[in-house]
């Protein structure tokens, strides 16, 4: 059984792992209180999926080899494209997102995905600051704002803030010069007192998920797992059997 993908969690729906067994894809929802007991075996390319079918790949590059890697065109777009995708022509919004304690980003999404996109990223707060007719205009505005507010935030920095509170004054200073079209705030319910240990593992009791971050309790410790880091691993029943279970670092930050 191989991890071949994931779905980020939202405050109302848990994250999920996509698992492939003998060519068939199933979904494992990471619901709060659930116990996982998997060891991590070999990691290799996750191949490709087509609906419920999985096309395996044994190449050692993970999570995807050169053949199965895809680049989302919008990820590098700065508004200088010919709008090659149908979605480029849909109404878009530009937004600002906040992560604890004082990490902020600018982003773009189709207008109907505003709240969903913030949740997928694990944001604490977000504001919609501009609605425009297509993605190209939105990317141009984003590129201008990215000189002051970054348009990418590493997952590790988000994990750093999981046990902290949002600096409201800093957030207000970021948004005060913008017209707020809509504002949202999420309660993730993790209630952490210390920063979780960053780990790559699939064993423990699920405390919750936040975007693509899974929080697990195991023994006397709490761990934060980037679900993308699990993609490509073969899962083995029984965590104690695994020699690949690896903590990548431990911190105690307030």
């Amino acid at each position: 059984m191989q991890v071949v993908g994931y779905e980020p969690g939202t405050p109302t729906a848990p994250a999920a792992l996509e698992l492939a067994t003998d060519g068939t894809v199933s979904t494992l929802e990471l619901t709060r209180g659930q116990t996982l007991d998997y060891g991590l075996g070999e990691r290799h390319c996750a191949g490709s999926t087509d609906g419920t079918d999985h096309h395996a790949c044994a190449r050692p590059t993970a999570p995807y080899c050169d053949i199965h890697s895809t680049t989302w065109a919008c990820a590098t777009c700065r508004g200088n494209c010919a709008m090659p995708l149908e979605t480029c022509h849909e109404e878009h919004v530009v937004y600002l997102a906040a992560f604890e304690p004082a990490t902020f980003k600018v982003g773009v999404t189709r207008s109907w995905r505003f709240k969903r996109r913030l949740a997928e990223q694990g944001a604490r707060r977000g504001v919609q600051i501009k609605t425009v007719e297509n993605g190209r205009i939105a990317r141009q505005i984003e590129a201008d704002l990215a000189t002051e507010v970054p348009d990418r935030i590493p997952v590790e920095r988000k994990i750093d803030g999981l046990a902290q509170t949002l600096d409201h004054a800093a957030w207000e200073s970021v948004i005060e010069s913008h017209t707020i079209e809509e504002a949202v705030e999420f309660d993730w319910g993790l209630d952490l007192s210390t920063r979780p240990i960053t780990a790559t593992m699939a064993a423990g009791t699920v405390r919750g998920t936040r975007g693509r971050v899974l929080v697990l309790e195991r023994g006397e410790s709490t761990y934060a797992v980037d679900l993308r880091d699990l993609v490509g691993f073969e899962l083995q029943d029984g965590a104690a059997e695994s020699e690949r279970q690896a903590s990548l670092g431990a911190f105690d930050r307030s």
Side-chain angles (χ1 to χ4, degrees):
M1 180 168 60
Q2 185 186 23
V3 181
V4 296
Y6 64 90
E7 283 292 330
T10 72
T12 58
L17 290 176
E18 296 176 355
L19 306 176
T21 305
D22 298 328
T24 301
V25 178
S26 60
T27 299
L28 174 63
E29 289 192 349
L30 303 169
T31 55
R32 186 169 300 176
Q34 178 182 9
T35 298
L36 304 179
D37 190 26
Y38 296 108
L40 304 184
E42 294 300 318
R43 193 185 190 201
H44 56 89
C45 176
S48 63
T49 58
D50 180 12
T52 59
D53 297 326
H54 175 242
H55 306 283
C57 178
R59 294 178 180 85
T61 305
Y64 300 101
C65 68
D66 291 342
I67 294 175
H68 293 107
S69 295
T70 57
T71 300
W72 182 41
C74 297
T76 57
C77 178
R78 291 296 179 267
N80 54 0
C81 68
M83 298 198 295
L85 305 177
E86 288 186 14
T87 54
C88 297
H89 299 269
E90 295 184 35
E91 182 180 83
H92 278 62
V93 299
V94 182
Y95 64 84
L96 295 169
F99 306 83
E100 298 92 338
T103 297
F104 312 114
K105 76 177 290 288
V106 61
V108 164
T109 189
R110 286 171 285 172
S111 58
W112 63 271
R113 293 197 80 251
F114 168 58
K115 293 181 182 179
R116 172 71 189 184
R117 183 59 183 146
L118 286 172
E120 289 173 344
Q121 296 178 76
R124 170 64 69 185
R125 285 188 172 185
V127 291
Q128 178 177 311
I129 59 173
K130 195 76 172 178
T131 302
V132 295
E133 62 186 77
N134 59 54
R136 180 166 58 194
I137 297 173
R139 288 296 181 187
Q140 292 170 349
I141 296 172
E142 178 191 42
D144 288 340
L145 292 175
T147 60
E148 301 176 4
V149 182
D151 57 1
R152 288 174 176 79
I153 301 297
V155 172
E156 190 67 21
R157 190 180 300 176
K158 297 178 183 179
I159 293 174
D160 285 343
L162 286 179
Q164 301 188 55
T165 57
L166 186 66
D167 185 333
H168 298 287
W171 173 236
E172 290 298 326
S173 70
V174 170
I175 66 175
E176 64 182 359
S177 62
H178 299 280
T179 299
I180 308 303
E181 299 180 349
E182 184 176 0
V184 295
E185 182 173 4
F186 297 117
D187 181 4
W188 294 95
L190 292 175
D191 298 324
L192 297 169
S193 58
T194 58
R195 183 199 189 279
I197 300 167
T198 301
T200 303
M201 59 191 294
T205 301
V206 176
R207 182 156 180 170
T209 56
R210 182 168 172 175
R212 76 187 214 198
V213 176
L214 165 66
V215 179
L216 292 171
E217 291 184 346
R218 185 178 179 192
E220 300 297 321
S221 299
T222 303
Y223 300 88
V225 182
D226 182 351
L227 293 179
R228 180 175 168 80
D229 289 342
L230 293 179
V231 175
F233 273 110
E234 298 283 349
L235 297 186
Q236 303 170 343
D237 288 330
E241 299 175 3
S242 173
E243 296 180 358
R244 297 294 299 275
Q245 209 81 293
S247 171
L248 302 183
F251 304 86
D252 183 10
R253 300 177 182 174
S254 57

